[in-house]
Amino acid sequence: MIAVPKEYQFSQKHLLGLADYSRDDIAYVLNQSERFREVLDRPVPKIPTLRDKTIVNLFYENSTRTRMSFELAQRRMGADVVNFSASASSVSKGESLRDTIQNIDSMKMDMVVVRHKSPGVPHYLTRCVDSAILNAGDGAHEHPTQALLDMFTLQQKMGSLEGLKVAIIGDIAHSRVVRSDIIGLQKMGAEVLICGPSTLMPLYPETLGAHVSYHLEEALGWADVAIALRIQMERQADVPGRIPSLGEYHQEYGIKMEHLDMFPDLKIMHPGPINRGVELQDAVADSDRAFILDQVTNGVAVRMAVLYLLSGSSESDASSRGVASGQTSK
Amino acid sequence: MTQNAMNQTYERFAMQILENYDSAPYPALIGMQSRGVFLAKRIQAAAKKASGMHLDFGVLDITFYRDDFRTKLKMPEVKVTDIPFDLYDRDIVLVDDVLFTGRTVRSAMSAILDYGRPRSIKFCCMVDRGHRELPIAPDFVGVVVPTKENEEVRVRVLEMDSEDAVDVVEMTSDGGEV
């Protein structure tokens, strides 16, 4: 458990990015996630908490694990789930984002989980509809639930985030995970270092507020935990010449067994999906010092906690249900 | 109700709960967050002291199963649930401080049934204050206190409230004490 002031109250309405969340907000979400993690180990891993909620997963960009993880979290809490993917919808017929969301809103959705290639789309949606909006990744801006599950896993495995040294390695320039991770980890008192070839670094890396290194071994020697990022093959095609070849990237920035031997306390994480033999050597991905599959399980718990905490916010007027009274039932 | 009276009640609960059991498996206690947890611990200790029997002990938070949080603006904080034994075919005694509308117990039964299929569930409470809204009756009761709707029954435990006591407090419509 992370200490939160006694008088603290969670009062966020959306999850657009960790930039909007305070240190206490993040600590509270992580603490509550532990309760939901326990549900996943029950004989019947299902609770009725959101059974009166309808949630739409609005995915304008491909995603397997984030969408599955959100959907599983929603179904584990009994919510009705509607999935929308841009490729198989009226978007291909030319409907605008705003029209799509307003149509969806007319069907009375309580919460919207959105992924989009353009940064700022989740924020834009908050101005179009009353539903609670959860960002599942917007361009290279933020991916807050990924950062929350990374922090939850670090807290669980390393005991504390305070003073922890986390190196993030790979395609820093294109990564939304990096931005959310840096913001979140620094708020929680951890130190972050980013490392990658200069062609995959943003123009002014120091503005991210993290330490910067261009040498893998220097980064790994410094860190308690290394988060390897996926080389986004689909974006490499758009930007030829950022890395000479995948083989050369692996040679210079891939984490290999020799590194685990060289730094015996180093632990490994990866947001997935892994390109084996690129960011991580096969044996590293499968080693017991990699928390990659824990991250996946924890992701469901963290998303359940976020959905739970934000599910109150779409009810602007509880008394309209005609049941409100100050009396708590015993 | 004073600390002394409460202690006698724990001893009585322990005797009543263990009646008819001469060998294991004994009934298991599940304390409901928050104060039920401490009451269940006392009953466990009383059973140990009186007969040397060890009763399994678990903690249950029913937030996930509540039917009233839609009436509130903030989502309540979820507390720990920890049931470290297999419920299957066991006799379970649920422990809470106050029985009022019965809605909390209803939620607790739903929660327990998600953990397995116990042989039976019984309910033990320190105070039955009436005003039931569901067909639920306690099996073991400390005291029955007829109350008015605008009164609040407060069970206090040393661990949380720095004393052991039970009080009835009249409330004003805005939630303050009279």
Side-chain angles (χ1 to χ4, degrees):
Chain A
M1 289 283 278
I2 310 165
V4 178
K6 209 175 157 64
E7 64 283 359
Y8 170 81
Q9 278 268 326
F10 183 88
S11 54
Q12 296 284 351
K13 296 210 172 324
H14 309 285
L15 177 59
L16 305 180
L18 290 187
D20 311 320
Y21 274 47
S22 70
R23 182 254 169 220
D24 290 344
D25 287 332
I26 295 171
Y28 188 71
V29 172
L30 297 178
N31 288 342
Q32 289 286 279
S33 300
E34 283 185 46
R35 309 289 163 250
F36 290 86
R37 182 67 190 77
E38 178 267 325
V39 173
L40 300 178
D41 292 331
R42 295 183 188 179
V44 182
K46 189 154 178 145
I47 52 178
T49 317
L50 297 187
R51 65 172 172 208
D52 57 346
K53 296 289 175 190
T54 309
I55 306 174
V56 58
N57 294 318
L58 197 60
F59 278 72
Y60 279 88
E61 224 185 27
N62 289 336
S63 158
T64 312
R65 95 202 40 222
T66 303
R67 216 206 63 193
M68 269 180 66
S69 180
F70 263 112
E71 188 172 342
L72 194 57
Q74 291 151 2
R75 293 192 190 278
R76 290 271 187 253
M77 293 196 285
D80 286 322
V81 183
V82 182
N83 286 311
F84 170 101
S85 60
S87 54
S89 71
S90 51
V91 174
S92 53
K93 300 176 189 164
E95 190 176 48
S96 75
L97 173 64
R98 184 180 182 144
D99 285 326
T100 302
I101 188 73
Q102 283 179 339
N103 275 281
I104 288 173
D105 192 47
S106 308
M107 293 184 234
K108 305 267 180 259
M109 297 293 161
D110 298 293
M111 305 174 92
V112 178
V113 177
V114 61
R115 166 169 289 191
H116 200 285
K117 66 178 190 305
S118 301
V121 162
H123 188 270
Y124 171 71
L125 294 186
T126 62
R127 287 182 278 139
C128 302
V129 293
D130 292 331
S131 323
I133 308 289
L134 281 80
N135 182 359
D138 58 335
H141 176 222
E142 280 224 47
H143 190 355
T145 55
Q146 177 68 43
L148 287 167
L149 77 88
D150 286 346
M151 287 190 276
F152 182 84
T153 307
L154 287 166
Q155 169 82 19
Q156 177 189 51
K157 295 286 180 181
M158 309 301 287
S160 171
L161 298 171
E162 190 79 49
L164 197 67
K165 291 180 169 169
V166 182
I168 305 176
I169 292 151
D171 186 353
I172 307 295
H174 296 109
S175 173
R176 52 190 165 219
V177 177
V178 156
R179 302 173 61 92
S180 292
D181 268 341
I182 291 177
I183 295 167
L185 283 165
Q186 288 186 339
K187 282 184 178 169
M188 300 313 291
E191 271 189 87
V192 185
L193 176 149
I194 48 177
C195 172
S198 55
T199 48
L200 294 179
M201 280 286 191
L203 206 46
Y204 302 103
E206 56 286 349
T207 55
L208 289 173
H211 305 285
V212 179
S213 169
Y214 295 95
H215 304 285
L216 180 64
E217 282 175 18
E218 182 184 61
L220 298 181
W222 172 86
D224 300 310
V225 180
I227 300 178
L229 299 174
R230 187 171 72 91
I231 289 297
Q232 305 185 38
M233 310 277 196
E234 67 277 16
R235 297 197 190 175
Q236 297 313 319
D238 301 339
V239 194
R242 281 190 183 257
I243 51 174
S245 73
L246 294 176
E248 185 157 343
Y249 179 83
H250 182 64
Q251 202 58 42
E252 295 295 321
Y253 290 96
I255 303 175
K256 300 174 266 299
M257 280 313 275
E258 63 197 64
H259 296 123
L260 293 192
D261 296 337
M262 207 181 303
F263 309 110
D265 294 325
L266 181 72
K267 305 289 192 291
I268 306 295
M269 304 208 317
H270 190 298
I274 311 171
N275 298 313
R276 283 173 180 264
V278 182
E279 306 97 48
L280 298 177
Q281 211 174 34
D282 253 338
V284 172
D286 299 328
S287 116
D288 57 6
R289 283 160 62 187
F291 303 148
I292 299 165
L293 296 177
D294 299 289
Q295 287 175 273
V296 178
T297 313
N298 291 340
V300 179
V302 166
R303 292 183 173 110
M304 285 170 81
V306 172
L307 288 163
Y308 169 76
L309 291 170
L310 296 176
S311 68
S313 67
S314 56
E315 239 126 351
S316 50
D317 186 12
S319 61
S320 66
R321 303 209 163 197
V323 274
S325 77
Q327 190 76 61
T328 50
S329 300
K330 252 297 172 193
Chain B
M1 211 172 166
T2 61
Q3 185 176 28
N4 203 20
M6 287 171 83
N7 286 339
Q8 286 173 3
T9 306
Y10 300 132
E11 285 164 26
R12 173 164 62 80
F13 282 155
M15 303 300 280
Q16 288 177 330
I17 288 168
L18 285 170
E19 219 173 30
N20 302 326
Y21 289 91
D22 46 13
S23 67
Y26 302 117
L29 299 169
I30 294 184
M32 292 164 61
Q33 292 275 18
S34 306
R35 286 170 182 76
V37 175
F38 299 104
L39 302 188
K41 272 190 183 149
R42 308 237 162 115
I43 297 169
Q44 188 192 32
K48 190 95 186 165
K49 198 171 148 207
S51 55
M53 291 174 184
H54 174 76
L55 305 187
D56 283 332
F57 172 79
V59 174
L60 182 70
D61 178 81
I62 53 102
T63 310
F64 295 143
Y65 298 84
R66 280 166 73 152
D67 62 1
D68 66 337
F69 58 47
R70 298 288 165 228
T71 66
K72 295 172 183 159
L73 282 177
K74 296 272 182 272
M75 301 303 282
E77 182 175 358
V78 185
K79 301 198 184 73
V80 174
T81 292
D82 181 22
I83 301 180
F85 52 88
D86 187 1
L87 285 166
Y88 181 75
D89 213 25
R90 295 292 300 274
D91 291 317
I92 303 295
V93 180
L94 260 179
V95 183
D96 203 3
D97 52 356
V98 180
L99 175 59
F100 182 26
T101 60
R103 288 178 193 269
T104 309
V105 190
R106 202 273 323 154
S107 305
M109 289 192 285
S110 301
I112 285 180
L113 295 174
D114 280 355
Y115 277 88
R117 187 178 187 281
R119 200 167 81 94
S120 71
I121 304 177
K122 287 191 158 69
F123 182 59
C124 170
C125 63
M126 185 51 91
V127 182
D128 176 358
R129 61 166 293 189
H131 303 286
R132 214 80 74 242
E133 292 169 7
L134 295 173
I136 279 169
D139 300 278
F140 313 106
V141 191
V143 285
V144 179
V145 185
T147 56
K148 291 186 275 185
E149 285 274 10
N150 68 338
E151 286 172 332
E152 233 183 69
V153 176
R154 298 212 180 130
V155 173
R156 291 203 288 275
V157 293
L158 201 56
E159 293 86 342
M160 294 179 72
D161 317 292
S162 67
E163 63 169 340
D164 282 337
V166 179
D167 288 309
V168 180
V169 188
E170 197 170 338
M171 307 296 285
T172 58
S173 56
D174 61 357
E177 289 180 33
V178 172

